[in-house]
Amino acid sequence: MKVEQFTLEKFGFLGKDFLEEIQRHASLVTIKGKTEILAEGNKIKTIPFVINGSLKVFALNDGRELIYNYIRSGETCLMSFSTIFNDFVSRVYVVSEEDTEALIIPANILLDWLIKYPQINKLFYYEFDLRFTDIMNMVNDAVFHKLDKRVLNYIKQQIAITGHNPIKLTHKEIANNLGTSREVVSRVLKKVENENVRVGL
């Protein structure tokens, strides 16, 4: 997707003056896959809006990842966005899942825009709704589904995010993202293989 098309689709409702501000202040960046963009405790200087690719937002607990959500094309990081209302300090880690193009906007500029263009709050509420849905799905998955179902759901999710099928994932990666051990994931996938369960979409 071209930058002009993206900005028009994402921000066009805010009017011509705002689109001109985007051209002056926003920058296009290309991020290599598996690159850490943000770490917990870092000062947030820019807010990314993903054009192509995906970013993973997560927390760490004893070396294990707790995934909050994935930021896909047309979306931004709600956790980063929300910090502009207070301390600009990140409470999460953000890593690119694959090569990603993003439009980045200085956080202090975005704060000014919230006052100058109050309709921009629609973007915040839109992202909040997406993230709330992600969290509800994650809770439902953890509470109501057994680990084998969670593993399959995770793999299907990765296929949907990246558009790649088959997808390259190590048992260790899956285990870290689901808060379990590599050995458990290996047993689950062996069981799936023996039962000839189709994982793809």
Side-chain angles (χ1 to χ4, degrees):
M1 181 185 295
K2 292 183 179 179
V3 176
E4 295 82 3
Q5 179 187 349
F6 174 82
T7 54
L8 185 61
E9 290 180 1
K10 188 70 177 176
F11 306 107
F13 73 96
L14 291 165
K16 181 181 176 181
D17 289 345
F18 185 83
L19 292 177
E20 290 176 354
E21 296 234 34
I22 285 283
Q23 289 181 344
R24 283 198 298 271
H25 297 288
S27 302
L28 178 67
V29 297
T30 301
I31 307 160
K32 289 290 186 183
K34 307 304 179 185
T35 300
E36 183 178 271
I37 301 167
L38 196 60
E40 183 181 0
N42 283 4
K43 200 76 170 177
I44 293 175
K45 297 179 180 178
T46 59
I47 308 296
F49 288 83
V50 173
I51 298 175
N52 294 300
S54 60
L55 307 176
K56 178 172 66 175
V57 182
F58 63 96
L60 285 177
N61 188 355
D62 292 331
R64 290 185 176 181
E65 294 179 3
L66 172 61
I67 298 175
Y68 290 135
N69 63 276
Y70 291 90
I71 307 169
R72 305 173 183 88
S73 178
E75 299 174 2
T76 189
C77 178
L78 178 66
M79 303 289 279
S80 298
F81 198 111
S82 65
T83 67
I84 68 176
F85 298 107
N86 43 60
D87 56 9
F88 290 94
V89 174
S90 176
R91 295 165 179 79
V92 295
Y93 292 84
V94 181
V95 172
S96 56
E97 278 288 274
E98 55 190 317
D99 290 353
T100 299
E101 275 189 315
L103 197 69
I104 60 170
I105 298 173
N108 62 324
I109 294 292
L110 191 54
L111 180 58
D112 291 340
W113 286 349
L114 283 167
I115 299 169
K116 189 175 181 180
Y117 303 95
Q119 278 192 308
I120 203 173
N121 281 291
K122 287 183 178 180
L123 296 177
F124 179 81
Y125 292 121
Y126 170 75
E127 293 294 332
F128 178 83
D129 183 64
L130 288 178
R131 301 294 77 87
F132 183 77
T133 300
D134 284 340
I135 290 172
M136 289 299 296
N137 289 339
M138 181 176 66
V139 171
N140 287 336
D141 213 27
V143 172
F144 297 113
H145 293 156
K146 293 182 179 179
L147 187 59
D148 55 350
K149 180 68 172 177
R150 291 175 60 202
V151 169
L152 293 180
N153 285 346
Y154 175 76
I155 294 172
K156 289 177 181 178
Q157 180 189 52
Q158 294 304 301
I159 291 172
I161 290 170
T162 64
H164 300 152
N165 188 8
I167 189 169
K168 292 182 179 179
L169 288 170
T170 67
H171 293 190
K172 176 81 172 159
E173 284 179 296
I174 297 172
N176 286 343
N177 290 330
L178 294 180
T180 185
S181 68
R182 181 189 59 78
E183 291 78 12
V184 170
V185 170
S186 296
R187 285 199 299 270
V188 168
L189 290 177
K190 187 63 178 177
K191 179 174 178 285
V192 168
E193 182 184 356
N194 291 338
E195 293 177 354
N196 198 28
V197 175
R198 190 167 181 266
V199 179
L201 298 174

